[in-house]
Amino acid sequence: MEELYDEAEHWQLNTGEETIHAKRMKGKWRSYKWYANSFWLILFLGPYLRWGDRQAVLFDIPNRQFHIFGVTILPQDFWMLSLTLLFFAILLAVVTALAGRIWCGFFCFQTVWTDIYAWIEDKLEGAPQKRRKLDKAPWNVNKIRIKLTKHLLWLVIGFLTGISFVAWFVDAFQLWADLVSFTLGSTAIISIALFTVGTYVLAGFLREQTCFWLCPYARIQAVMIDNTTVVPTYDFHRGEPRGRVKKGVSEEERTTGDCVDCNQCIAVCPTGVDIRHGQQEGCIMCALCIDACDSVMKKLGRPTGLIRYESLDALNGKESRPLLKRPRVWVYSIIMTAALLGIGYGMSTLDALEIKVIHSRQPLFVLQSDGSIQNKYTLKILNKMTGDIPAKISISGIDGAILVDADLVTTARHGKVTPRTVFVRVPKKLLKQETTPIIFHVEGQLGEELLKAQRESIFIGPRY
């Protein structure tokens, strides 16, 4: 416990007194970070893809329809959304338990946009030392020019972010047309404005303070990480005691560890953490400190990996179980597999047309003047396509059954449930029992595609 308190005394947490100007350095983990950034940037281009006569991915909330390429998901299929959210929630827990805050360091929107804003700042204002000098310099024409250019670019990125977000919920091209013609609705205007200001403030000014004070995940992750979690770790066995490189002292003669106290690991950290003092709340585990340390080790001709992804138990020689023998890995995997199977089943059984049959209970049947038995049903036809479908209804399962007005075609409205009341008559002599299974079929054609659906119900007659 004393060791923990001693370590905590050295923890660093910038509470906003100064702006952290992190050094940008090339390396393997920096490349991985850019790949992760590109994932979200490419994803924001999704609304501009087309699928036939509509947007490929469109979350049409007013009409309660989710269009994902050729699939249309309606409220009746939202159970799949629950399974999808469960899958990603468990995936986040698995990744955190096994490899720490990978989400925070590589995929979080705040991390990605802050990194882009910092890149722009670095290109316009220069290296960290130049940026600090510029911040302290008196205002002049050059400083105003640089600062104004930076903030305008930040606002443009925030504005494009807002438009890209709104484009998931309305047609992207129509959105731009309304924007240019100044006919954009108030909801879209407010949403774009909120995203523009939010991105500009959070990524441009608050930066790591958002992770410290606004993001609940920074707190939750503490209970999801233990000594077996693989995280960016400083190998204190190899690095201590620290010491500067001395001229004339060979590698065999030196009495210090591999850490030369160059502080490059701190210089590149976007939250200003010193990884050598152990895991801290401010560490988002972006692994940029690994790139910085490895570059120094290579220059000195020493082995890389002084800072590396490693668990604390493995660092201390306590961890001997391989990853696949840890119980929580299997528990998480089973839950994720079940969620994936459920999603796969739902997508594979997702029909463009669905039909539900409700048997009238008052009365259960009517005896006709010709001696036949008549049942009344309410059919609810769900059309998940983007166009109306002329649907024809038929029955099977009972010999001699007659569907009244069988030639009548029902127009199934797109994205809606269309009700239709039908009557079925069966000669009494053909009924052998009180209840008999009957199958209702609905068939329609949209373009060249033939769509079918069926649902089983019962035909009720008098007791024998």
Side-chain angles (χ1 to χ4, degrees):
M1 186 63 71
E2 269 184 34
E3 292 179 0
L4 181 61
Y5 284 133
D6 291 340
E7 183 180 280
E9 286 181 0
H10 296 91
W11 286 1
Q12 295 172 319
L13 182 63
N14 177 29
T15 56
E17 294 88 357
E18 61 175 331
T19 301
I20 294 177
H21 292 290
K23 181 179 180 180
R24 303 185 72 85
M25 183 178 293
K26 294 181 179 180
K28 178 177 68 175
W29 294 102
R30 164 53 69 182
S31 298
Y32 291 158
K33 195 171 178 64
W34 275 123
Y35 296 151
N37 292 3
S38 302
F39 172 78
W40 289 117
L41 297 177
I42 293 172
L43 191 64
F44 266 80
L45 298 177
Y48 300 97
L49 298 176
R50 309 302 291 180
W51 186 268
D53 60 346
R54 63 168 171 82
Q55 194 165 300
V57 181
L58 176 63
F59 302 135
D60 190 355
I61 293 179
N63 293 317
R64 297 184 298 173
Q65 300 175 24
F66 283 7
H67 302 291
I68 304 175
F69 294 96
V71 177
T72 297
I73 300 176
L74 298 180
Q76 292 84 349
D77 305 310
F78 272 12
W79 61 273
M80 287 189 294
L81 177 61
S82 300
L83 286 179
T84 304
L85 294 176
L86 173 64
F87 171 78
F88 283 109
I90 296 299
L91 178 63
L92 187 61
V94 171
V95 171
T96 304
L98 299 181
R101 297 169 65 179
I102 295 294
W103 167 262
C104 294
F106 294 88
F107 293 99
C108 175
F109 307 110
Q110 174 66 17
T111 299
V112 172
W113 264 250
T114 298
D115 203 31
I116 294 172
Y117 274 37
W119 177 79
I120 292 174
E121 191 174 60
D122 184 77
K123 292 299 180 182
L124 291 174
E125 298 183 1
Q129 190 59 35
K130 290 183 178 180
R131 297 203 293 269
R132 295 188 187 96
K133 186 177 179 180
L134 182 65
D135 288 344
K136 295 177 181 179
W139 287 95
N140 53 37
V141 175
N142 183 58
K143 182 175 180 178
I144 292 174
R145 178 184 61 81
I146 294 174
K147 292 291 185 181
L148 185 61
T149 303
K150 180 183 74 172
H151 286 281
L152 283 176
L153 288 174
W154 283 1
L155 284 170
V156 168
I157 291 174
F159 179 68
L160 293 176
T161 301
I163 292 179
S164 298
F165 175 79
V166 174
W168 288 101
F169 303 94
V170 298
D171 186 271
F173 295 108
Q174 186 61 46
L175 174 66
W176 278 102
D178 293 342
L179 185 66
V180 172
S181 61
F182 299 101
T183 58
L184 203 59
S186 58
T187 302
I189 292 175
I190 293 173
S191 299
I192 293 173
L194 288 175
F195 264 87
T196 301
V197 174
T199 305
Y200 176 69
V201 173
L202 293 177
F205 296 93
L206 291 181
R207 299 191 179 185
E208 78 286 346
Q209 299 302 309
T210 304
C211 306
F212 292 158
W213 312 117
L214 300 181
C215 179
Y217 186 56
R219 313 289 181 182
I220 296 172
Q221 62 91 27
V223 300
M224 303 174 72
I225 295 176
D226 58 23
N227 289 345
T228 64
T229 304
V230 179
V231 295
T233 307
Y234 168 66
D235 189 347
F236 53 88
H237 297 297
R238 174 185 154 190
E240 302 295 325
R242 306 171 202 167
R244 298 281 184 176
V245 177
K246 296 180 180 179
K247 292 183 179 181
V249 179
S250 65
E251 286 293 306
E252 293 77 13
E253 295 175 336
R254 69 180 173 93
T255 58
T256 57
D258 281 348
C259 179
V260 295
D261 212 14
C262 62
N263 292 328
Q264 289 301 301
C265 56
I266 306 174
V268 299
C269 181
T271 60
V273 166
D274 188 344
I275 191 68
R276 296 172 298 179
H277 293 148
Q279 285 303 318
Q280 305 165 45
E281 180 189 344
C283 179
I284 61 173
M285 302 181 186
C286 60
L288 296 179
C289 54
I290 299 179
D291 284 339
C293 186
D294 283 351
S295 67
V296 174
M297 291 297 106
K298 289 176 181 177
K299 291 178 182 178
L300 297 176
R302 298 177 184 177
T304 58
L306 178 59
I307 301 176
R308 63 182 183 273
Y309 262 98
E310 190 69 273
S311 70
L312 186 60
D313 280 354
L315 199 64
N316 291 322
K318 298 178 181 178
E319 178 61 39
S320 58
R321 286 184 303 169
L323 192 66
L324 293 179
K325 288 188 178 181
R326 300 178 186 176
R328 65 180 175 183
V329 173
W330 287 99
V331 172
Y332 288 143
S333 299
I334 290 171
I335 297 175
M336 290 173 60
T337 302
L340 278 178
L341 290 175
I343 296 169
Y345 171 78
M347 295 298 290
S348 64
T349 58
L350 198 62
D351 296 320
L353 274 181
E354 286 188 4
I355 179 174
K356 290 186 178 181
V357 181
I358 302 174
H359 190 287
S360 178
R361 297 184 177 275
Q362 293 182 350
L364 290 175
F365 64 90
V366 175
L367 179 61
Q368 300 293 299
S369 58
D370 61 358
S372 63
I373 304 299
Q374 177 176 283
N375 281 201
K376 178 183 177 183
Y377 301 87
T378 299
L379 307 185
K380 293 188 174 183
I381 305 171
L382 174 61
N383 176 10
K384 299 181 181 179
M385 303 299 287
T386 56
D388 295 345
I389 298 175
K392 186 173 182 179
I393 300 169
S394 59
I395 57 174
S396 65
I398 302 179
D399 294 334
I402 299 173
L403 178 65
V404 180
D405 295 330
D407 295 333
L408 184 63
V409 176
T410 301
T411 300
R413 301 297 180 185
H414 66 279
K416 296 181 180 179
V417 175
T418 303
R420 162 85 185 273
T421 300
V422 299
F423 297 91
V424 178
R425 295 174 184 172
V426 179
K428 185 177 180 181
K429 62 182 180 180
L430 296 179
L431 295 174
K432 306 299 182 184
Q433 52 192 5
E434 183 181 357
T435 60
T436 307
I438 184 172
I439 301 174
F440 287 84
H441 303 267
V442 61
E443 183 177 301
Q445 190 156 354
L446 184 64
E448 298 181 356
E449 187 176 1
L450 182 63
L451 308 173
K452 296 181 179 181
Q454 67 179 40
R455 179 61 64 94
E456 183 176 325
S457 184
I458 58 173
F459 186 90
I460 301 177
R463 294 187 179 184
Y464 291 90

